[in-house]
């Protein structure tokens, strides 16, 4: 394949702006540091902010930009005089300064010849930091973690997403338990995002025709270590007021609106990259939302006079597609009229007929509709699911696209998702392992994973338990402070105080369950036998408590009903305050929850969970998982890292069987093992499992393994022009 022009690397941090004006000269580099989210997964960089003013650091919820705006100048002056602080500062700034240099990274040492190439990574959501709420759940967290791991490994990735200026909704739950969705727009002044101007000046970068009207697309950029993420928007003075709101909200339920957003992301994304002089060699689509990206690149080739079949082959050879869910709601399907209304007559500029254009995403001769996943399967030559089990499901679901070939011949592979260690392993655990390894603060980028796993297995029992108890204490402290503020500010109702965790005890076995309230995730499985649940929770000698959190999609009425049921149960005195529901689940709360509970619970209806990642996050903190054998657990469960709810026999109803097994494992295995210890001591069998949990996950389920897999088996073969794994769909 031809060598594209080298990509102009954006500065790792933009030049200091007026936000740095208050800073003492000796530590003025802090302003630049806050403009790159790299700090958010560096222990020593976080330590800097913590030392400057730990209360403000907590109250700004680790938002470094906001922190610097609010911090008292005297505090900065004082720290700038302290040798110990300055030593830490210099060490952080030295490492930050080295970011621009990729030499020495895993990618540079493996693939030096590919260093000047780039990989575009399109995703409708990115979870990078709490202060940038442009994600709804696991898909976004995965995209954010993918970018962070790419930075660590030196992989030349460029993220492209949308800047939803309205954010994803804030969750507030009424006294009746019904979720109300309120919007809290993103404030770009307390974020590390910067507007990117056209080379000739001005924020209006490229035009795009949407529903017959020309709309200008602009972009913001956020630096995630070495990786720039471009977030497109249409909220520009040069646009018609009606079009300025196009990108305001994530996953609106109106199909035409969503289609327009996907048109902006897919076609606009390619155009914005070109306008900025960026010409990626490989194009990776994280779920089908941005699949028009393939169509725009097809248009580019067709307009250059490349024949259709050759152009299609070229697009397929350089494109990767990751499908993320077997659940139908996760796959956008539109009518051809809707597609025509938004995109028409794009086919004219491509020089193909309308029917050929529609055929790319067509779901078949009867009931012809347009499906983004089908479009992606036709135009991406390398396709994967996100766990071994999900590959099998995907092959079965999408066989029809290949004319119903046997599932084994469907060219869909898999890369099991992972989680980013630097983001999800809590500081005290990281320090404990770092100490065992005798390495510096960023050991996870240097030490290989089997060495880390061995260190985890060798940890001292009592110390690990003490660290875990400390993390649990922190979670409970956080929960109580949140409850206190909400009680004072807007609930004024004691039942809600009890339901939000004020009665939780730090000495009781604590289960955690937090994720989107999609019904297949079955948050309510335990509630199908309320009496058995009550006996489990309120056992006077060996009580159990459960912490729930999660949002239902604003249009998901059944999901909201499940949430309501749990929310009301949390306030029901018969459970004695042993159930808590925490409002407004997002990554900051997730980080505290996965580290502070004792067991992570995951109950998807098999086979609907493609992978599931929150259990991996808990595992990175030594928290074992109890889960149905779905997604990653089908390959990750080893017997030393948690418990598996067995698959029901083929002729048995899954719900009652799963529920009974869930209770049985809790009653007979988890509770006895946890409480079998002396006061103030750890249970040897329990801590042994904690270590197994840590070891298995650091070795197999971090984004480092995941990204190395993508690079080795997807990106590099695409860059090298290797043969595709299978035939295109007919
Ligand atoms: C990890 C994460 C998820 C995904 O959790 P699953 O177990 O995969 O459903 C959702 N939301 C947040 C905030 C997360 O951190």
């Amino acid at each position: 394949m031809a060598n594209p022009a080298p990509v102009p690397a954006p500065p790792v941090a933009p030049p200091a702006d007026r936000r740095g004006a208050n800073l003492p000269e000796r530590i003025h580099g802090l302003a630049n540091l806050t403009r790159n989210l790299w700090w958010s997964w560096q222990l020593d960089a976080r330590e800097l902010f913590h030392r400057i003013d730990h209360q403000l650091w907590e109250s700004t919820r680790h938002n470094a930009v906001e922190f610097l705006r609010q911090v008292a100048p005297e505090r900065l002056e004082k720290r700038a005089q302290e040798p110990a602080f300055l030593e830490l500062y210099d060490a952080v700034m030295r490492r930050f300064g080295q970011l621009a240099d990729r030499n020495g990274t895993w990618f540079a040492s493996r693939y030096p010849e590919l260093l000047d190439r780039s990989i575009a990574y399109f995703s409708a959501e990115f979870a990078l930091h709490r202060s940038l709420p442009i994600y709804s759940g696991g898909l976004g967290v995965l995209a954010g973690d993918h970018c962070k791991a790419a930075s660590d490994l030196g992989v030349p990735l460029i993220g492209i997403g949308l800047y939803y200026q309205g954010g994803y909704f804030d969750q507030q739950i009424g006294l009746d338990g019904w979720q109300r969705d309120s919007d809290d727009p993103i404030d770009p002044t307390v974020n590390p995002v910067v507007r990117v101007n056209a080379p000739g000046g001005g924020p209006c970068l490229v035009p795009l025709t949407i529903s017959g009207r020309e709309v200008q697309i602009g972009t913001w950029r956020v630096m995630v270590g070495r990786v720039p993420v471009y977030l497109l928007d249409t909220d520009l003075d040069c646009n018609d007021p009606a079009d300025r709101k196009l990108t305001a909200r994530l996953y609106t339920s109106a199909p035409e609106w969503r289609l327009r957003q996907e048109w902006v992301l897919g076609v606009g994304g390619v155009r914005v990259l070109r306008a900025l002089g960026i010409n990626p060699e490989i194009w990776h689509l994280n779920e089908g939302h941005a699949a028009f990206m393939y169509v725009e690149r097809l248009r580019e080739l067709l307009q250059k006079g490349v024949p259709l079949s050759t152009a299609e082959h070229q697009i397929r050879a350089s494109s990767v597609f990751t499908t993320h869910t077997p659940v139908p709601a996760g796959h956008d399907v539109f009518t051809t009229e809707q597609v025509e209304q938004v995109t028409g007559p794009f086919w004219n500029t491509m020089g193909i007929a309308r029917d050929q254009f529609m055929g790319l995403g067509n779901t078949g001769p009867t009931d012809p509709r347009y499906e983004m996943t089908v479009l992606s399967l036709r135009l991406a030559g390398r396709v994967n699911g996100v766990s071994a089990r999900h590959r099998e499901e995907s092959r079965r679901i999408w066989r029809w696209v290949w004319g119903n070939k046997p599932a084994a011949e469907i060219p869909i592979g898999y890369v099991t998702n992972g989680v980013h260690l630097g983001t999800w392993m809590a500081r005290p655990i990281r320090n404990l392992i770092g100490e065992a390894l005798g390495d510096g603060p960023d050991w996870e980028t240097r030490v290989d994973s089997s060495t880390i796993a061995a260190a985890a297995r060798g940890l001292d029992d009592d110390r690990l338990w003490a660290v875990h108890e400390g993390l649990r204490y922190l979670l409970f402290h956080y929960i109580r402070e949140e409850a206190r503020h909400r009680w004072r500010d807007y609930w004024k109702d004691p039942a809600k105080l009890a339901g939000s965790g004020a009665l939780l005890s730090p000495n009781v076995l604590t289960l955690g369950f937090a994720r989107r309230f999609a019904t297949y995730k079955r948050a309510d499985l335990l509630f199908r036998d309320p009496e058995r649940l009550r006996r489990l929770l309120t056992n006077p000698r060996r009580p159990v408590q459960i912490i729930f959190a999660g949002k239902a999609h604003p249009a998901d009425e059944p999901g909201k009903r499940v949430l309501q049921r749990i929310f009301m149960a949390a306030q029901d005195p018969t459970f004695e305050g042993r159930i808590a529901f925490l409002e407004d689940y997002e990554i900051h709360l997730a980080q505290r929850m996965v580290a502070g509970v004792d067991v992570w619970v995951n109950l998807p209806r098999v086979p609907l969970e493609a992978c599931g990642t929150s259990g991996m996050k808990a595992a990175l903190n030594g928290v074992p998982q109890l889960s149905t054998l779905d997604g990653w657990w089908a390959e990750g469960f080893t017997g030393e890292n948690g418990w598996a709810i067995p698959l029901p026999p083929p002729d048995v109803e899954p719900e009652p069987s799963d529920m009974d097994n869930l209770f049985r494992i809790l009653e007979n295995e988890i509770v006895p093992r946890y409480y079998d210890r002396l006061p103030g001591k750890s249970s040897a069998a329990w801590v042994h499992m904690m270590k197994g949990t840590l070891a298995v996950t650091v070795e197999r389920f971090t984004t480092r393994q995941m990204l190395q897999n993508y690079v080795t088996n997807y990106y590099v073969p695409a860059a090298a022009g290797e043969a595709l794994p299978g035939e295109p769909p007919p």
Side-chain angles (χ1 to χ4, degrees):
M1 214 174 243
N3 240 359
V7 179
V12 162
D17 54 21
R18 66 190 166 72
R19 267 155 281 203
N22 286 338
L23 284 167
E25 186 53 31
R26 177 68 176 81
I27 54 172
H28 78 277
L30 283 177
N32 267 352
L33 186 67
T34 64
R35 309 304 284 171
N36 185 327
L37 283 171
W38 178 80
W39 66 261
S40 70
W41 73 93
Q42 309 303 322
L43 284 181
D44 50 356
R46 275 162 31 191
E47 173 73 18
L48 275 180
F49 300 115
H50 182 83
R51 281 205 207 166
I52 295 172
D53 181 345
H54 72 270
Q55 270 164 348
L56 182 64
W57 184 234
E58 289 310 318
S59 68
T60 56
R61 299 184 194 237
H62 301 188
N63 177 337
V65 179
E66 192 174 4
F67 177 85
L68 267 205
R69 294 191 111 200
Q70 292 191 18
V71 68
E74 311 82 75
R75 280 192 177 263
L76 294 169
E77 290 296 347
K78 189 149 167 274
R79 294 296 175 265
Q81 312 290 328
E82 290 173 5
F85 182 85
L86 293 176
E87 195 182 319
L88 181 65
Y89 168 84
D90 290 338
V92 172
M93 294 311 290
R94 196 161 44 243
R95 291 207 299 117
F96 185 49
Q98 286 160 358
L99 260 193
D101 181 8
R102 285 180 205 269
N103 286 317
T105 62
W106 173 82
F107 189 84
S109 53
R110 285 285 176 102
Y111 306 105
E113 72 286 4
L114 298 179
L115 259 188
D116 62 349
R117 313 295 178 82
S118 61
I119 302 144
Y121 179 79
F122 281 65
S123 179
E125 40 176 315
F126 285 90
L128 296 165
H129 189 263
R130 181 194 153 87
S131 59
L132 208 51
I134 52 168
Y135 65 93
S136 79
L139 182 71
V141 176
L142 182 83
D145 282 8
H146 195 105
C147 294
K148 292 172 184 174
S151 172
D152 293 342
L153 294 172
V155 179
L157 196 84
I158 295 170
I160 298 103
L162 289 176
Y163 186 78
Y164 307 99
Q165 64 267 31
Y168 192 60
F169 73 95
D170 282 357
Q171 183 186 48
Q172 285 197 1
I173 298 172
L175 290 178
D176 57 355
W178 197 249
Q179 172 182 294
R180 288 168 182 83
D181 327 319
S182 71
D183 270 333
D184 191 7
I186 300 177
D187 178 355
T189 64
V190 292
N191 262 299
V193 290
V194 287
R195 195 36 109 186
V196 179
N197 285 327
C204 304
L205 291 180
V206 290
L208 174 65
T209 303
I210 307 175
S211 299
R213 206 163 51 212
E214 189 172 289
V215 178
Q216 291 287 332
I217 316 285
T219 190
W220 301 80
R221 183 179 60 221
V222 54
M223 291 304 297
V224 183
R226 300 181 168 99
V227 172
V229 176
Y230 291 93
L231 299 171
L232 276 46
D233 78 334
T234 59
D235 189 16
L236 300 162
D237 289 337
C238 52
N239 281 333
D240 189 289
D243 295 325
R244 295 186 64 155
K245 291 260 174 277
L246 270 179
T247 50
R249 217 174 300 290
L250 171 63
Y251 299 150
T252 61
S253 6
E256 291 84 358
W257 207 254
R258 192 140 158 174
L259 187 54
R260 288 187 192 112
Q261 287 188 338
E262 297 186 354
W263 192 238
V264 169
L265 177 57
V267 181
V270 177
R271 292 187 182 175
V272 162
L273 289 178
R274 304 284 191 220
L276 298 175
I278 302 172
N279 292 299
E281 165 124 301
I282 294 148
W283 303 73
H284 184 178
L285 193 59
N286 187 44
E287 194 53 292
H289 308 107
F292 291 125
M293 166 263 270
Y294 302 129
V295 177
E296 167 67 359
R297 287 165 50 229
L298 197 57
R299 180 197 64 80
E300 291 177 335
L301 292 176
L302 293 174
Q303 278 196 339
K304 282 188 203 146
V306 179
L308 181 60
S309 64
T310 316
E312 279 186 358
H313 179 76
Q314 285 186 19
I315 299 299
R316 287 171 50 75
S318 52
S319 297
V320 179
F321 169 55
T322 304
T323 175
H324 277 274
T325 178
V327 178
H331 300 268
D332 284 325
V333 190
F334 303 104
T335 65
T336 45
E337 291 74 31
Q338 286 166 339
V339 175
E340 170 145 17
Q341 203 280 329
V342 172
T343 71
F346 194 73
W347 42 91
N348 288 346
T349 62
M350 296 174 80
I352 61 176
R354 176 189 176 283
D355 286 354
Q356 272 176 309
F357 178 87
M358 293 296 172
L360 292 170
N362 208 320
T363 55
T366 57
D367 183 26
R369 288 180 304 158
Y370 194 93
E371 178 154 7
M372 301 305 275
T373 302
V374 174
L375 175 62
S376 308
L377 294 174
R378 294 225 167 92
L379 290 178
R382 291 183 166 80
V383 178
N384 70 289
V386 291
S387 70
R389 191 181 177 104
H390 180 234
R391 171 185 61 182
E392 302 318 311
E393 279 306 303
S394 302
R395 286 179 167 177
R396 197 179 53 71
I397 298 170
W398 302 110
R399 274 175 62 208
W400 69 265
V401 180
W402 278 269
N404 282 321
K405 272 207 237 176
E409 291 171 31
I410 303 302
I412 298 181
Y414 78 97
V415 177
T416 304
N417 286 342
V419 292
H420 185 243
L421 189 149
T423 300
W424 295 105
M425 184 183 277
R427 162 197 299 265
I429 304 263
R430 252 170 112 182
N431 283 337
L432 202 62
I433 296 182
E435 201 181 294
L437 291 166
D439 208 304
D442 55 344
W443 52 262
E444 73 278 2
T445 60
R446 281 188 304 274
V447 183
D448 69 79
S449 38
S450 51
T451 308
I452 303 173
R457 284 187 203 279
L459 291 176
D460 178 77
D461 279 18
D462 290 338
R463 287 194 68 197
L464 177 58
W465 182 250
V467 161
H468 175 66
E469 294 217 296
L471 287 165
R472 195 168 42 181
Y473 174 82
L474 284 178
L475 170 66
F476 282 61
H477 177 71
Y478 183 85
I479 291 174
R480 249 195 306 276
E481 290 310 300
E482 287 285 295
R484 190 188 311 285
H485 292 141
R486 282 169 203 249
W487 190 42
R488 180 195 65 201
D489 296 342
Y490 69 86
W491 293 338
K492 334 272 185 205
D493 178 274
K496 282 195 76 168
L497 187 61
S500 64
L503 293 177
L504 293 177
S505 158
N507 302 316
V508 168
L509 168 60
T510 305
L511 316 180
F513 183 105
R515 46 185 58 83
R516 287 180 304 112
F517 267 80
T519 48
Y520 78 87
K521 293 184 184 258
R522 298 193 299 186
D524 55 346
L525 195 59
L526 279 163
F527 292 86
R528 309 230 168 125
D529 189 344
E531 185 46 34
R532 194 168 174 187
L533 177 62
R534 195 189 60 74
R535 282 199 305 275
L536 177 77
L537 301 189
T538 63
N539 179 327
R541 291 191 48 244
R542 295 174 156 188
V544 176
Q545 55 198 7
I546 318 179
I547 305 178
F548 287 97
K551 296 173 178 174
H553 185 277
D556 181 6
E557 298 285 315
K560 285 185 180 176
R561 273 197 294 279
V562 174
L563 192 157
Q564 181 178 40
R565 179 164 184 196
I566 287 166
F567 189 83
M568 296 318 276
Q571 295 171 50
D572 178 348
T574 60
F575 293 117
E576 301 180 10
R578 300 247 187 247
I579 301 175
F581 185 93
L582 311 183
E583 271 175 89
D584 218 17
Y585 187 54
E586 41 67 49
I587 45 181
H588 189 73
L589 173 57
Q591 284 170 329
R592 271 139 202 81
M593 271 187 82
V594 295
V597 300
D598 297 307
V599 176
W600 195 254
V601 181
N602 185 30
L603 303 168
R605 185 181 302 127
V606 183
L608 296 181
E609 187 69 280
C611 179
T613 51
S614 57
M616 300 173 183
K617 300 170 192 167
L620 282 187
N621 295 286
V623 171
Q625 178 173 249
L626 162 62
S627 172
T628 42
L629 277 169
D630 206 7
W632 79 284
W633 205 230
E635 68 202 79
F637 170 66
T638 62
E640 56 167 350
N641 56 353
W643 302 266
I645 294 172
L647 294 174
D651 47 344
V652 166
E653 266 288 300
E655 296 302 77
S657 157
D658 288 353
M659 186 195 74
D660 187 58
N661 280 313
L662 168 62
F663 275 109
R664 186 183 51 74
I665 294 170
L666 282 166
E667 292 159 351
N668 301 344
E669 298 184 38
I670 296 181
V671 171
R673 188 191 288 231
Y674 185 82
Y675 282 111
D676 182 17
R677 59 185 159 105
L678 297 170
K681 288 275 175 207
S682 60
S683 144
W686 192 270
V687 179
H688 182 73
M689 184 170 269
M690 289 180 67
K691 293 197 248 180
T693 300
L694 259 169
V696 170
T697 301
V698 292
E699 190 152 31
R700 292 171 52 198
F701 297 106
T702 69
T703 31
R704 170 155 74 170
Q705 280 92 39
M706 177 189 88
L707 198 66
Q708 288 177 341
N709 192 341
Y710 275 114
V711 168
T712 316
N713 298 315
Y714 291 77
Y715 300 160
V716 168
E722 282 176 23
L724 292 173
E727 291 296 311

